Amino acid sequence: MISSALGGAILQSHYDSYSLHVPMSAAPASLDPLNVTGSPNAFNYSYSQANLYTGSSNPPLILPAPNATGTQFRWLSTVTRTTDNTLIPTSGFRFNITSPPPPSQGKQVVNWTLTIPQFNCKTCTSVQVIFDFFGNITRGTNATYALFNGTQAIQPSVTFTALGEFPPAATVSCPEIFCIPVTRYVGYKLTLSFTFAWNGTELPGMSADVGEIEVASIGDPIPSCVAPVSCHFMQQDQSNSSSIIHNTNLSSVSYNNTLTTHVQPGNVSTTRLWWDIEAINIYYPVGYNVTQIKLDNTIVYHALPEVPLEKDHCAPGTACAESLIALNITDFTPSGAIHNSTITIISTTPNSIRQLTTLSGGVPTRFFTSGDQIGIKILNNPSVVNASISQQTGQLNITFPQPLPIQTSPTTTLSGGVFSFNLPSDCGFNGELCARDWNVSAVFTSGFDLGIKSGLFRIDSLQVSFTGSTGGDNALSIQGRLTYGNGTKKASGVNATMFAIDTGTPVNTPVTNNQTKISSTLLYISNVTLVNGVFTQGQPLIMLFTVVDPDRTQLYNATIIIEHEWPGPQPHNMSVTFSLHPGDPLGDLPFGTSGPQTYKATILFTGTGVQVTLTNLRTSPNSETSTMTPGTSPVVPNRPHAGLFNLTLTSKIGNTTETPSSFIISPTYAYVSSSLVPSKYLSASNLIVTDPNGNFSTTITSHSLLGAKNLVMFLLARDATGIGLVNNLSSIALTDSTILLSTTDSIGTVAKDQTVTATLHLTNNSTKITEVITVNLFIQGNPQPVGTKTGVTIPPGESRTVTLTFPAPSTVGLYALTFSSPEYGGPLTSQTIQVTILQSNLQILIPAAIGVVAAIIILGIYLVRRQPETAETEEKTKPAGSKPKTPSTRNPTSKSLTRTQDPS
C-alpha cells in the first residue's frame, strides 16, 4: 500500500455525498458574472490526530525469532513521509511461507504495543486503531489479528482460513483497512497481535502484509462556512476562458496536540505532546482540481517538497461523490499547535458552458436579418458529474447588449438547450441596430459550477424598393434598388432572382431543364424537373431526373451527387452522394435492361440539415435518405431564398470510375414565406447582380406569364454572408391578372360542308402585359386545327375580335368548337354548332296538302327575296373602352387549369 491508512479510513468513514452532511442550495446569479458566490458547502473539512507505529520507532515483539526454516519475515516501506515524499522504512512488514515449506507445524506472532492518548481535535468523538491487513491463504495456513488490553480481548481473534486472497472482497473503497474503536481505553497500552500459523502440510505461497498501523482520532466533516457568510467564490480565469477558478477560505483553523492524558494503570495525569500527526482533511466535489492550498501565507500544497498525507481524486462516472486531500499540518507547525489560522484553497473546474451557438431555424449561423428569430444553443456540462441532479442544476442567464430591445429571464437548467428570441423588426431609428456585430452572453451558476460563454452575431437587412415596371409582348420588366439597413447603404454586388407565380393556385406547373450533352456510351441525365418550384418551410421540394443508358450491353453502376447551389450558380460545398449499385436500397439496377430510369429526389430543409430522400419511380417505395454536408453557407429553413441543384452522374464498371461524368443544372426554385403558398410556379429571371449603387433591372419574357389569375412578381435576394430581404417587408414588385376574357358570337344551324364563320372576342385583363398569342380553332373529331390566326396582339385593358372560317363537317350532328392558344396554355373558350342536311333557311316544311306546284311557287317567291350571303374571315379592332356590338348570343369564358410550359 502506498496510500495512507489514515487518509483511507477518513475517506471510508465519510464516503458519501457532501449533500448528506449539509443541505445544499444553488447560489443565486451574481450581478458580476466574473465573480460569483458558490455554495458554502462545496468544500468541507475535518480534523484528525494520529500516531504512526513503525518497526524502528516502536518496534514490535516478534515470537519466535523471525525467518525460521520455510518462512520469511521482512520489513516494508508502505507509508510516504509527508515532509519530503520519501518512504518511511519499517512502516509495514510481510510474512510468507517459502519453498520448501517449514518441516513441521508452527506459528509466527508479531505483537505491537499501542498507546491510546486523549484526543481533542474539533468534532472528534472517538479514537481507533487502524491498520492494513491482507494477503493470500494456502492449504494448511491461516492468518489472525486480535487486540488486547492485557489479557482482555477488545477485538476477539479474527482468523482467515479460506483459500485465496483475504480479506474477502467488500463493497467499500479500501477493504484491507481495519478500524477498531478504542475510545473507552484512552490512557491504556493495548496489544495489537498478528499470528501466522501452519500445520506442516501447507503449500508454499502463503503471504500476509501488515502496514500503516496507526492510532487515530477522526473528526466529522465541517462546512467550510455557514450561510449567509460566503467563503466560496467562482470566477472565470482571465488567462484561460475555458477554466473556472474557485477560491475557498477555511477560517478559524485551530489545533493543539499538547494535552493531558490520564495514563493507566494509576490514572496518572500526564500533559505533553501526545500526537505526532495533525491532519486537515479537505473534502471537495468530484470534477474539481485543487491546484494550491495555503495555510495563512504559507503554501502547503503543492509547490513545496511536502506532500499530502492522502490524495484521493474520485473519477467521474464512479459512485464516488467527493475527493479528499489530507494535509499533515504538523509539517508546517513545529510547535504542534495553531490558533485561528486560515486555509485558502485554489481549485479549478472546466467552464461548464462548453458551447454557445447562434441558430436560425436550427441551423448554425452568425448572420441574421431584421425580424428573424435567433436561437441561442447552450451546451452546459457541470463538473460535479457524480452529484445529484439537483446539485448539478443551476440558473442560466442569457443577455443581449443594449440597445437591442430583447427581454430575457433566468431559466433553470442542467444541460442547457435552445432558447429562442425575436430580433428587432427593423434597424432602429438611425440604423444603429444593423450592419454591426453583437455579443450575446450566457452565464450558468450553481452552487458548484460557473459557466460563461459569449458569441458574436450580426444583424443586417436587405430592403428592396421598386422604381418602375413596364410591360412588353408577353414580358414584364422590373427596375428597383437594394439597400442595407435603414436604406442609406447601397447593396452593391448582391445576387437576386425575380420570380413570377400565380398565387392561390394549388396546381403546380413542373419546369424542366433538358440535357445539352448526350453521351453515346456512358450513362447521362437527360432532364431534370422541379415539380413544385415554389414552396415554403415544412414542405418538400420534389425534383425528378431521368437517367439514360445508351449502351444496353454494358451494365453500369453509378454515383449521383446532388449539390445545392445559390443562383449564379454558386456552389458552397453542400451536397449528398448516393451510390447506385447491385444491392443498394433502391433495388433499381441494372440500367440497360429497364430503359430510362426516372428518379425522384424529395428535398426537405430542416434545422438539422438538408435531407434528401431518393427513390426510383419504377421500384418505389424503395428509398434511401441522407443529409447533405453542412457547407460553407447554410440553407436556413426559416429564411426565404432562391436556389438550385447541380446533379452529377458518374458511370462505373464495377468499382472503376468512367469519364466523363454527366452534369445538369436544375431550374431555380423559390423558397418563400407561407403567405405566398399555395402558388403555381410560372417563371424566373436570369441572375440579377446589383450595380455599385444597388440598382437592378430585369425582364421576364415568357408565355408562362399568360393566364395567371393572381400574377405576383417578387424578388429573392441574398448577399455573400447570407443576409436576405427583411422577412416582414414586402418583396412583391407588382400584382396583376393576365386572364383573357373570352366570348363568342352564336353560330346558327349550318348545312354539311357549308363554309362557317366563328367569331371570338378577347379582352386583356392585364394592366401591364401585352398578350401576343396564336388562336387555333378545333372542331370535335378533328385533332388538327380547322382555323389559325397568328400574332393576335391584345394590349393591356383592350379587346380584340378574331374571326375564323372553316368548312362544316360532312356529317350531320352537334359539334363542339374550341378556341385554344399554345401561348396561353390551353383552351380560351368553346361553343357548339348544329350541322344539318340543308341550311337553316332552306329547311321549310312543305305540307303535302298544298301540292308540289304550291311548294314550287312558295320556294320561288322566297328565292327572289333572299339576299346574297358572303362568307369572310376578318379581325375587327375596337379601341379600349369602346362599346362593341352586342352579339345575340355569346358563350361564357372557359379557362384550363393546365398548360404546356413554353421554352422561352
Side-chain angles (χ1 to χ4, degrees), residues 824-886:
Y824 194 72
L828 295 165
T829 189
S830 62
Q831 64 181 135
T832 60
I833 62 170
Q834 178 69 51
V835 178
T836 63
I837 298 174
L838 298 174
Q839 295 182 5
S840 60
N841 51 9
L842 294 179
Q843 294 180 23
I844 299 173
L845 287 176
I846 305 174
I850 297 177
V852 175
V853 175
I856 293 173
I857 294 171
I858 294 170
L859 180 59
I861 295 171
Y862 180 82
L863 291 174
V864 169
R865 293 181 178 179
R866 180 179 181 274
Q867 300 295 322
E869 184 180 57
T870 302
E872 64 177 355
T873 301
E874 65 176 353
E875 177 180 346
K876 299 176 182 179
T877 303
K878 298 179 289 299
S882 64
K883 184 176 181 180
K885 179 181 177 180
T886 303

Side-chain angles (χ1 to χ4, degrees), residues 723-807:
I723 296 297
L725 292 172
V726 178
N727 290 347
N728 60 347
L729 296 181
S730 177
S731 59
I732 296 176
L734 62 85
T735 59
D736 200 356
S737 174
T738 56
I739 292 291
L740 287 175
L741 303 177
S742 306
T743 59
T744 60
D745 289 348
S746 177
I747 302 175
T749 302
V750 299
K752 296 187 299 180
D753 300 318
Q754 176 188 337
T755 299
V756 183
T757 298
T759 303
L760 172 67
H761 304 279
L762 296 173
T763 300
N764 185 356
N765 205 35
S766 174
T767 61
K768 291 286 185 181
I769 297 177
T770 297
E771 301 196 27
V772 180
I773 65 173
T774 296
V775 176
N776 292 321
L777 178 62
F778 292 87
I779 191 167
Q780 183 178 344
N782 186 353
Q784 300 300 319
V786 296
T788 297
K789 184 68 173 181
T790 61
V792 179
T793 302
I794 316 164
E798 296 188 11
S799 299
R800 295 291 185 267
T801 297
V802 179
T803 59
L804 298 170
T805 61
F806 63 96

Side-chain angles (χ1 to χ4, degrees), residues 606-759:
T606 73
T608 57
V610 178
Q611 295 179 358
V612 181
T613 299
L614 187 66
T615 59
N616 184 308
L617 296 186
R618 182 176 60 84
T619 61
S620 181
N622 295 349
S623 66
E624 182 177 0
T625 300
S626 189
T627 301
M628 286 191 171
T629 54
T632 55
S633 56
V635 176
V636 179
N638 61 346
R639 191 172 294 174
H641 67 271
L644 48 90
F645 293 93
N646 188 343
L647 281 67
T648 302
L649 178 70
T650 301
S651 302
K652 286 189 171 184
I653 299 177
N655 293 322
T656 303
T657 299
E658 303 296 315
T659 57
S661 298
S662 176
F663 303 90
I664 195 169
I665 299 290
S666 76
T668 304
Y669 67 77
Y671 187 70
V672 299
S673 61
S674 59
S675 62
L676 291 178
V677 290
S679 292
K680 180 164 67 173
Y681 186 105
L682 301 180
S683 188
S685 71
N686 294 326
L687 179 68
I688 302 169
V689 181
T690 58
D691 67 14
N693 293 317
N695 296 319
F696 67 88
S697 177
T698 187
T699 299
I700 296 180
T701 300
S702 175
H703 302 324
S704 300
L705 299 178
L706 308 185
K709 184 178 180 181
N710 298 296
L711 174 65
V712 171
M713 303 283 291
F714 66 95
L715 189 75
L716 291 177
R718 181 186 183 278
D719 73 1
T721 65
I723 296 297
L725 292 172
V726 178
N727 290 347
N728 60 347
L729 296 181
S730 177
S731 59
I732 296 176
L734 62 85
T735 59
D736 200 356
S737 174
T738 56
I739 292 291
L740 287 175
L741 303 177
S742 306
T743 59
T744 60
D745 289 348
S746 177
I747 302 175
T749 302
V750 299
K752 296 187 299 180
D753 300 318
Q754 176 188 337
T755 299
V756 183
T757 298
T759 303

Side-chain angles (χ1 to χ4, degrees), residues 486-508:
N486 60 357
T488 59
K489 182 183 177 183
K490 302 169 184 177
S492 63
V494 172
N495 291 347
T497 305
M498 185 72 69
F499 289 91
I501 60 175
D502 188 2
T503 62
T505 303
V507 178
N508 258 296

